[in-house]
């Protein structure tokens, strides 16, 4: 069942129904304003967008979803493609009564979001991607080996430290609260983590990227692990807008002003 609507200054949490279960979301913004739907990286949750949503709330109706398998959303029995997440999250928007929206995805969320304007072109007004995954076959193979299963529970508890250091390596240690929040999210979703990463490396992002016909924004930071892919995305689609921000893999927390400013400038030029 859908949650309570949020006034611009109050963040609300709720659940939307989809075919296979309940999708958890955070919502903040002005009722009746253009909807911006946010999709997080692996293995975070919609919490990563709270600071950005707070900065956009006066002008937009912001909804940050927990992808199935992550955060407080249901755990799917099987996922064999990124399109599974895309379809279930579109169903969540249906349950919330959202017909048209601006999509914003970060890393894995960008892979989920890039399918939306291709498969649901009449509903997606624009696409913003923070860390678009425009990778070659060799790059996908290398990243699959490095990131698909960075840790799993074991009797000694050593995986707790391994997860903590893994997150430090991708920039989560920039603040204590960020590091702790991401550790909790990653531990909660350790099984879904490897499944989602495998779907990312299996996806033909480059072909989908070329099939997007709505306005598009690429965003990244130079110290993000996705930075080489961002440069390839910019070369592949020079018609898209680009914005460079700070914050390693956690731009929405570390450089919330930069991300919000980039989105505001991009969205301000789009129809609602």
């Amino acid at each position: 069942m859908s949650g309570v609507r949020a006034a611009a200054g109050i963040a609300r949490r709720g659940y939307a129904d989809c075919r296979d279960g309940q999708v958890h979301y955070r919502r903040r913004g002005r009722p009746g304003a253009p909807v911006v739907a946010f999709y997080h990286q692996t293995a975070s949750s919609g919490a990563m967008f709270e600071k950005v949503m707070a900065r956009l709330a006066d002008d937009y109706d912001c909804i940050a979803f927990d992808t199935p398998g992550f955060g407080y959303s249901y755990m799917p029995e099987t996922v064999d493609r990124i399109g599974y997440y895309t379809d279930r999250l579109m169903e969540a928007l249906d349950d919330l009564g959202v017909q048209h929206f601006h999509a914003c995805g970060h890393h894995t969320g960008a892979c989920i979001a890039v399918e939306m304007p291709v498969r649901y072109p009449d509903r997606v007004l624009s696409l913003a991607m923070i860390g678009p995954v425009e990778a070659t076959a060799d790059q996908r193979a290398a990243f699959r080996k490095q990131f698909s299963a960075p840790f799993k529970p074991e009797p000694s508890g050593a995986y707790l430290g391994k997860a903590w250091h893994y997150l430090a390596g991708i920039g989560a240690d920039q603040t204590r609260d960020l590091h702790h929040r991401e550790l909790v999210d990653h531990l909660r979703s350790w099984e879904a983590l490897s499944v989602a990463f495998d779907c990312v490396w299996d996806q033909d992002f480059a072909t989908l990227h070329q099939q997007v016909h709505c306005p598009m924004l690429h965003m990244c930071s130079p110290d993000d692990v996705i930075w080489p892919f961002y440069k390839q995305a910019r070369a592949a689609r020079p018609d898209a807008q680009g914005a460079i921000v700070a914050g390693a893999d956690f731009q929405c927390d570390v450089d919330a002003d930069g991300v919000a400013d980039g989105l505001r400038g991009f969205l301000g030029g789009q129809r609602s």
Side-chain angles (χ1 to χ4, degrees):
M1 180 178 294
S2 303
V4 178
R5 286 300 306 273
I10 302 172
R12 299 278 187 178
R13 294 166 63 170
Y15 287 90
D17 289 331
C18 73
R19 186 191 72 183
D20 294 339
Q22 291 186 306
V23 175
H24 180 259
Y25 66 87
R26 294 164 172 82
R27 191 167 193 172
R28 181 170 185 171
R30 181 166 59 84
V35 172
V36 184
F38 292 92
Y39 306 101
H40 62 81
Q41 66 181 339
T42 301
S44 299
S45 69
M48 66 172 288
F49 295 111
E50 287 188 349
K51 291 181 179 180
V52 172
M53 292 197 298
R55 287 157 171 79
L56 298 175
D58 287 342
D59 299 304
Y60 296 96
D61 183 1
C62 301
I63 311 172
F65 292 97
D66 292 353
T67 301
F70 299 90
Y72 294 99
S73 288
Y74 75 96
M75 178 65 70
E77 291 186 7
T78 58
V79 179
D80 60 357
R81 58 188 176 86
I82 283 288
Y84 174 88
Y85 301 123
T86 301
D87 290 340
R88 302 295 81 78
L89 291 165
M90 290 296 294
E91 291 164 4
L93 284 166
D94 291 340
D95 190 51
L96 294 175
V98 175
Q99 179 63 25
H100 300 105
F101 63 99
H102 301 275
C104 178
H106 185 289
H107 286 207
T108 300
C111 295
I112 293 169
V114 77
E115 297 208 5
M116 292 178 171
V118 176
R119 299 172 56 200
Y120 302 91
D122 295 334
R123 298 186 62 180
V124 183
L125 302 174
S126 69
L127 171 65
M129 294 184 287
I130 306 170
V133 190
E134 179 86 20
T136 66
D138 287 345
Q139 288 170 327
R140 290 199 304 272
F143 269 66
R144 186 191 298 271
K145 183 181 298 184
Q146 182 177 1
F147 288 105
S148 286
F151 61 88
K152 62 181 179 180
E154 53 190 304
S156 71
Y159 72 98
L160 299 172
K162 187 174 182 180
W164 183 259
H165 292 299
Y166 163 76
L167 287 163
I170 57 174
D173 61 345
Q174 295 176 81
T175 71
R176 181 197 61 190
D177 289 345
L178 170 61
H179 205 170
H180 175 73
R181 187 198 75 206
E182 287 296 317
L183 177 68
V184 172
D185 276 348
H186 277 64
L187 293 177
R188 179 187 292 120
S189 304
W190 73 271
E191 290 179 288
L193 184 156
S194 60
V195 173
F197 273 146
D198 280 343
C199 290
V200 167
W201 311 130
D202 288 342
Q203 184 190 45
D204 187 359
F205 181 96
T207 296
L208 291 161
H209 193 206
Q210 289 300 320
Q211 294 172 350
V212 174
H213 297 300
C214 64
M216 187 160 47
L217 170 68
H218 300 141
M219 191 180 298
C220 202
S221 55
D223 51 352
D224 190 325
V225 296
I226 300 296
W227 178 251
F229 304 161
Y230 167 80
K231 292 193 290 183
Q232 289 162 192
R234 298 297 298 132
R237 288 297 301 266
D239 56 306
Q241 294 185 39
I244 296 176
V245 291
D249 292 23
F250 299 93
Q251 299 92 337
C252 297
D253 283 283
V254 178
D255 189 15
D257 286 334
V259 172
D261 288 347
L263 286 172
R264 188 182 298 279
F266 171 63
L267 295 171
Q270 314 306 325
R271 65 181 176 86
S272 61

